[in-house]
Amino acid sequence: MRYNEIKAEENVSLVTQFVLLGFSEFPNVQGLLFALFFVVYMIILIGNSLIIIVTRLDSALHKPMYFFLANFSSLEICFVSVTVPRILKNLWTQDRTISILGCAMQNCFFIILGVSECLLLAVMSYDRYVAICNPLHYPLVMNHKFCVQLAVGAWVTGMPLQIGQTSLIFSLHFCKSNRINHFFCDIPPLIKLACGDTSVPEKALFAATTLFIAAPFTLILISYGKIISTILRLPTASGRAKAFSTCSSHLIVVILFFGSACITYFKPKSNHSALTDKLLSLFYSVLTPMFNPLIYSLRNKDVIAALRKVFLQK
């Protein structure tokens, strides 16, 4: 399918829709990409849903760690559902158009849920910090009311600022082109399409990235520095191994998610390569949600035991 590209000399009011180019540079593998994304999406939905179910059904998992894990799995389902169904639709129909309103809504929900994920990962690292570094006070500190407050805070804290961020981006004039060289409406490729002065949204993006990505990442690294220091002082090798096993899965998710997100959003606009951006975006928007249930289930004996009880009970 061919699309008319809107050039800068044309009236900007003509831009009523965008074209998500996605993976159109690989025309011979569109069917294979559809199958791959469909399988990944099913893994994400089924895997994260299983975590939510077992943490609700098994009383042994009614602990703060698994409460946050269930929230994280719920968040992952919402997060990927903002982008992957659109990717599947574009690959299946080869109709890559999206209205400006649809693009704005996708962008808004994506960054709101992305911020929530950053904050929830920081909350989960704090939970592990208290459990390992201050175990005697853990039941008192991480009581149910405080856990609910932390979870709700992670879900809603970034909403006002990110709605403002989306409004700022879509107040720009898009007159260079209507073709977004990406598979969803992300901020960097949208800024590249804008004409005129984009310094304000670029500064706002840098500030938001610092506040909602770099700051939680720094707090997580500090928490894990203290956790590792405490683990190394444990008297028994088995105690150290168990503590490392519990925390390493969280750390893997953190590094995958924050590493790719930081590279994407901290790079100057002039240094953005479309293919590199798409590959990095796949890590934090698709691959991390897929790895989450695999890592947490395969590396956690309590979750494996709960799954066995759910599926093997008569």
Side-chain angles (χ1 to χ4, degrees):
M1 182 175 290
R2 301 186 62 177
Y3 304 97
N4 295 323
E5 183 173 355
I6 298 173
K7 298 296 185 181
E9 62 269 14
E10 296 180 13
N11 192 325
V12 296
S13 64
L14 293 176
V15 183
T16 58
Q17 63 182 15
F18 291 112
V19 178
L20 290 167
L21 296 182
F23 305 97
S24 57
E25 63 264 48
F26 307 110
N28 298 325
V29 293
Q30 297 295 293
L32 178 62
L33 287 173
F34 175 85
L36 184 61
F37 274 102
F38 180 79
V39 170
V40 168
Y41 190 44
M42 289 300 102
I43 291 173
I44 292 169
L45 294 183
I46 295 169
N48 284 289
S49 295
L50 282 175
I51 288 178
I52 296 168
I53 291 168
V54 297
T55 54
R56 292 289 296 174
L57 295 181
D58 195 325
S59 58
L61 301 183
H62 292 174
K63 301 174 183 177
M65 174 182 175
Y66 300 106
F67 169 76
F68 293 127
L69 179 56
N71 271 270
F72 188 58
S73 293
S74 302
L75 183 57
E76 294 282 47
I77 291 173
C78 297
F79 188 54
V80 296
S81 295
V82 173
T83 56
V84 177
R86 166 64 66 169
I87 296 171
L88 292 172
K89 182 256 184 186
N90 292 350
L91 289 170
W92 182 259
T93 65
Q94 295 300 300
D95 178 7
R96 305 178 190 279
T97 58
I98 183 171
S99 67
I100 288 184
L101 178 60
C103 191
M105 290 180 65
Q106 185 186 57
N107 176 260
C108 186
F109 281 112
F110 181 81
I111 60 178
I112 286 174
L113 293 169
V115 165
S116 297
E117 185 156 340
C118 292
L119 297 177
L120 192 55
L121 284 168
V123 167
M124 293 169 73
S125 72
Y126 176 71
D127 171 69
R128 291 299 85 207
Y129 163 74
V130 177
I132 293 173
C133 300
N134 199 2
L136 295 179
H137 292 88
Y138 180 71
L140 180 63
V141 174
M142 301 304 293
N143 59 74
H144 181 70
K145 181 180 178 181
F146 186 53
C147 289
V148 171
Q149 289 173 341
L150 287 174
V152 171
W155 277 90
V156 305
T157 296
M159 284 186 181
L161 289 176
Q162 297 313 312
I163 290 172
Q165 175 97 347
T166 300
S167 301
L168 186 61
I169 294 296
F170 283 88
S171 66
L172 297 170
H173 293 298
F174 299 101
C175 57
K176 291 181 180 179
S177 170
N178 68 334
R179 301 163 74 88
I180 302 174
N181 196 359
H182 213 303
F183 54 87
F184 69 98
C185 293
D186 204 3
I187 294 176
L190 283 167
I191 291 178
K192 288 182 72 173
L193 294 185
C195 55
D197 183 16
T198 60
S199 60
V200 173
E202 286 181 36
K203 289 176 182 176
L205 175 61
F206 182 85
T209 303
T210 302
L211 181 62
F212 294 118
I213 298 180
F217 191 29
T218 301
L219 292 174
I220 290 170
L221 293 179
I222 292 172
S223 296
Y224 273 96
K226 294 182 178 294
I227 288 170
I228 291 170
S229 175
T230 302
I231 289 174
L232 292 176
R233 294 199 300 268
L234 291 176
T236 64
S238 61
R240 289 194 296 270
K242 183 178 179 181
F244 269 120
S245 177
T246 301
C247 296
S248 60
S249 57
H250 183 202
L251 200 54
I252 291 169
V253 175
V254 164
I255 291 171
L256 282 173
F257 182 79
F258 282 99
S260 55
C262 283
I263 295 171
T264 298
Y265 292 108
F266 271 126
K267 281 195 307 181
K269 183 176 71 170
S270 58
N271 293 342
H272 277 273
S273 160
L275 182 58
T276 302
D277 282 352
K278 281 187 269 190
L279 291 175
L280 288 170
S281 297
L282 283 174
F283 274 97
Y284 62 79
S285 65
V286 179
L287 294 182
T288 301
M290 182 184 71
F291 290 146
N292 171 41
L294 297 176
I295 290 171
Y296 278 108
S297 60
L298 294 178
R299 295 178 61 86
N300 190 299
K301 293 179 180 178
D302 292 337
V303 174
I304 291 174
L307 285 169
R308 284 175 178 164
K309 278 199 282 186
V310 168
F311 287 105
L312 298 179
Q313 64 181 349
K314 297 182 180 179

